[in-house]
Amino acid sequence: MEEKIERIERFLSVCDELVTGSYLAADVKISEALKGVAGSRELTNLFAAVTDGYDYPAAKRAFLRTPAERGAGRVVAYLPAERQDILAFVFCLFVELDAGTLRLNEFLLHYFYVDGSYTASYSVFAERMIRPFRDIVKECFPECGKRGQIALKRKKQEDALARFAAALPVERNRVMSRELREEEAANADLIFGELSAATGRRDMIEVRALLAGYRYFLRYIGGEGAESAAFFALAAEL
């Protein structure tokens, strides 16, 4: 789950760079964005769905106007009204630009002309087309937003806590099965009782403090080994 989100976030990060970056880096970033789609099943599925049956040539005729249709205006490129059509249109545009069948510099001056400047024309293109495209993709994956990340982090912590709670009695049985002196057994029982209670309260500060003491206790009784290492590895995830 985490790896899937990271791939989508990398794609969105490239889109951010396309929106705020320069014309000079745009070709490379468009190619990087498409590679990001290819490397994510979720993104591949999204764009496969919106482009299924999509008539891109007809969309180009409708939203990219010819010089004769320009009139007094300089910017003659528009986005479709429907959100899924925006995704399909800009994605197909990226594919065409990346393939080289449509050259970015010619595209910019033809449809987003601003004083003959590639940089200024690209800024208009990025704001009018790439930004809405990026925002819609972001809305398709709310788990990649701040709120989604907080929820994911909380779930990860809860899962780690559940694994640690399940490991506590196993580790206790391992230690108590050793030949301990009465005082050592009483101390072990006290430590595990407090660890269990603190885990139940989700008091991570107390859990960590108790674990620090437990580590020294294990060294004292010579109880360190592969099992205790695995136990502390679980504790490290809390």
Side-chain angles (χ1 to χ4, degrees):
M1 176 68 174
E2 194 169 354
E3 185 178 352
K4 294 177 183 178
I5 290 177
E6 286 176 357
R7 289 174 181 170
I8 297 169
E9 287 185 331
R10 281 197 294 271
F11 171 79
L12 291 171
S13 178
V14 174
C15 289
D16 289 341
E17 292 170 10
L18 278 166
V19 171
T20 61
S22 71
Y23 155 75
L24 294 176
D27 278 327
V28 173
K29 291 301 176 183
I30 288 172
S31 180
E32 191 176 338
L34 293 176
K35 288 176 183 176
V37 172
S40 166
R41 185 174 64 181
E42 288 71 26
L43 289 171
T44 299
N45 289 344
L46 171 66
F47 290 110
V50 298
T51 56
D52 183 32
Y54 185 69
D55 192 343
Y56 177 58
K60 283 179 68 177
R61 291 191 297 272
F63 302 111
L64 300 180
R65 304 296 174 83
T66 64
E69 296 172 308
R70 178 181 291 155
R74 288 295 191 178
V75 176
V76 290
Y78 307 90
L79 282 178
E82 298 296 328
R83 292 161 62 84
Q84 69 177 43
D85 290 341
I86 292 174
L87 290 180
F89 182 68
V90 177
F91 176 76
C92 290
L93 188 60
F94 277 3
V95 171
E96 193 173 14
L97 288 168
D98 185 55
T101 54
L102 183 62
R103 295 186 179 276
L104 182 61
N105 55 355
E106 296 173 0
F107 170 76
L108 292 175
L109 293 189
H110 191 91
Y111 298 107
F112 295 92
Y113 184 91
V114 179
D115 298 330
S117 166
Y118 291 130
T119 299
S121 300
Y122 176 77
S123 295
V124 177
F125 167 56
E127 281 297 318
R128 293 201 176 191
M129 289 199 166
I130 302 178
R131 184 183 291 277
F133 170 82
R134 179 208 60 188
D135 291 346
I136 295 170
V137 175
K138 190 178 292 186
E139 290 170 10
C140 290
F141 300 99
E143 65 272 26
C144 294
K146 185 176 180 181
R147 185 178 300 176
Q149 283 300 302
I150 292 172
L152 181 65
K153 184 177 179 181
R154 186 179 295 117
K155 183 179 184 304
K156 187 177 179 181
Q157 290 174 336
E158 289 293 325
D159 290 345
L161 193 64
R163 291 194 299 272
F164 178 75
L168 271 173
V170 177
E171 177 68 4
R172 181 186 185 282
N173 290 339
R174 182 186 75 84
V175 171
M176 298 302 284
S177 66
R178 298 174 61 87
E179 293 184 3
L180 301 175
R181 290 178 296 178
E182 183 177 345
E183 182 183 0
E184 292 170 344
N187 286 334
D189 199 46
L190 177 63
I191 290 172
F192 281 107
E194 292 299 320
L195 269 174
S196 180
T199 301
R201 294 194 304 271
R202 290 172 169 72
D203 187 342
M204 293 300 100
I205 295 176
E206 186 173 351
V207 167
R208 294 186 183 99
L210 288 164
L211 284 170
Y214 178 58
R215 190 183 292 275
Y216 283 107
F217 174 77
L218 279 180
R219 290 176 185 171
Y220 175 74
I221 66 171
E224 291 180 307
E227 295 90 344
S228 64
F231 176 72
F232 282 110
L234 275 177
E237 297 179 18
L238 297 176

